[in-house]
Amino acid sequence: MASLRDTLSRTRNSVFSRIQTALGQSDITDETWEELEMLLLQADVGATTTEGLITRLRERARADGIVRADALRGALKRELKALLLSHPATHSFASNRMLEVIMMIGVNGSGKTTSIAKLCKLYKQRGRKVLLVAADTFRAAAVDQLQVWGERNGVDVITGPQAVDPGAVTHDAVMAAFARKADLLIVDTAGRLHTKHNLMQELVKIKNVLQRTVHEAPHQTLIVIDAANGQNAIAQAKGFAQAVGVTGAILTKLDGTPKGGVAFSIVSDLGIPILFVGTGEKIDDIE
């Protein structure tokens, strides 16, 4: 399995390398700030997050007497790191609950089902008994795909007839989890576009079923975000967050984008931690 550093080479060698070049051995000028702002936007950091970064960097430069652009490089690294750590992850593979429930959300094509398979393997490796539920009942291909991954992981998948109420399937899955003494239930949900009112109502219904049947469930609501979608992904995530709440993000396809700055927007704009990063298509390609 390639290291996380190796998989981020495209991002590091593209826009972010140009930022390093821009912060070369010269005095800081107005043009320095303008170029840095432009490059952060090109890296998909996002307008709001970029504005905040530039403001804090200017304040730090004044306070610390930084006048050289190369000295600003270290300050930028510290600000970016602080931003990523501003919402610390509370995720744990170990749980003392009788049944822990993870609700997975995100638009079609974001890598949600593959991410579920990767999580499934990670949790199994740590001794958890996992059960999956295919609550995207309106898309037969989604159910089939989840069943394939379930078979590969040696994990049962609870399904229902096509187009059946996803809340009913979720309820059956919770009952099955208790009966089979599973300690982790991962719920796959529909991923049509966030602007669809019916989808959001469907997600709310699934969440309500979980709340009624399992104490304090869902314990995690993870949104899967395709790094290549940049700021469009942030807009989508906000729609999901408003409907059902989100506790953390899985950032997929980070190995395939030359930008990657959306990672900072996820933490800054959505106020949630990035719990996992997808670094490839294989089942072990997750950090």
Side-chain angles (χ1 to χ4, degrees), residues 104 110-122 124 130-134 139-159 186 188 280-286:
M104 302 288 291
S110 62
K112 179 162 52 71
T113 308
T114 306
S115 295
I116 290 173
K118 293 176 179 181
L119 287 184
C120 193
K121 184 173 182 180
L122 281 173
K124 278 198 67 180
V130 185
L131 186 67
L132 303 179
V133 52
R139 202 163 61 93
V143 177
D144 293 342
Q145 187 182 10
L146 195 66
Q147 286 180 311
V148 168
W149 281 118
E151 290 172 5
R152 292 179 183 176
N153 276 307
V155 170
D156 290 341
V157 180
I158 305 300
T159 65
I186 301 179
D188 185 20
E281 296 180 359
K282 297 178 181 178
I283 198 165
D284 292 316
D285 292 336
I286 189 169

Side-chain angles (χ1 to χ4, degrees), residues 68-245:
R68 299 280 292 176
D70 53 353
L72 199 60
R73 201 182 304 164
L76 175 60
K77 284 186 178 182
R78 289 190 292 274
E79 287 291 342
L80 289 171
K81 184 175 181 179
L83 195 158
L84 286 178
L85 297 177
S86 61
H87 293 278
T90 57
H91 169 270
S92 173
F93 282 105
S95 174
N96 57 4
R97 299 180 185 277
M98 182 185 301
L99 178 62
E100 181 182 5
V101 179
I102 299 177
M103 184 173 171
M104 302 288 291
I105 59 179
V107 300
N108 291 338
S110 62
K112 179 162 52 71
T113 308
T114 306
S115 295
I116 290 173
K118 293 176 179 181
L119 287 184
C120 193
K121 184 173 182 180
L122 281 173
Y123 278 106
K124 278 198 67 180
Q125 287 174 337
R126 287 159 175 79
R128 305 293 295 276
K129 185 174 181 180
V130 185
L131 186 67
L132 303 179
V133 52
D136 184 359
T137 60
F138 294 95
R139 202 163 61 93
V143 177
D144 293 342
Q145 187 182 10
L146 195 66
Q147 286 180 311
V148 168
W149 281 118
E151 290 172 5
R152 292 179 183 176
N153 276 307
V155 170
D156 290 341
V157 180
I158 305 300
T159 65
Q162 187 172 357
V164 74
D165 178 9
V169 177
T170 302
H171 180 273
D172 290 347
V174 171
M175 297 302 105
F178 285 132
R180 303 178 193 188
K181 293 183 169 49
D183 59 15
L184 177 63
L185 179 67
I186 301 179
V187 184
D188 185 20
T189 64
R192 291 176 297 282
L193 284 176
H194 68 289
T195 51
K196 302 294 185 182
H197 175 74
N198 289 345
L199 167 62
M200 293 308 168
Q201 292 304 110
E202 183 179 297
L203 294 178
V204 170
K205 182 183 293 186
I206 292 172
K207 182 177 181 179
N208 289 341
V209 169
L210 293 171
Q211 289 176 329
R212 289 196 303 268
T213 52
V214 184
H215 182 59
E216 295 183 342
H219 307 105
Q220 298 181 56
T221 301
L222 305 185
I223 186 161
V224 180
I225 295 176
D226 182 343
N229 284 342
Q231 293 305 303
N232 286 335
I234 298 297
Q236 294 165 359
K238 286 180 179 178
F240 283 107
Q242 289 171 1
V244 293

Side-chain angles (χ1 to χ4, degrees), residues 46-59 79 83:
T48 302
T49 304
T50 294
E51 183 180 353
L53 280 169
I54 295 295
T55 299
R56 291 193 297 277
L57 277 174
R58 282 181 176 271
E59 292 171 351
E79 287 291 342
L83 195 158

Side-chain angles (χ1 to χ4, degrees), residues 1 15 19-20 22-23 25 34 42 50 66 69 71 93 116 140 158 175-176 178 194 209 239-240 246-247 254 267 269:
M1 182 173 62
V15 180
I19 290 176
Q20 185 163 325
L23 300 180
Q25 296 180 341
E34 290 172 5
Q42 288 179 358
T50 294
I66 298 175
F93 282 105
I116 290 173
I158 305 300
M175 297 302 105
F178 285 132
H194 68 289
V209 169
F240 283 107
V246 178
T247 60
L254 195 56
V267 180
D269 291 0

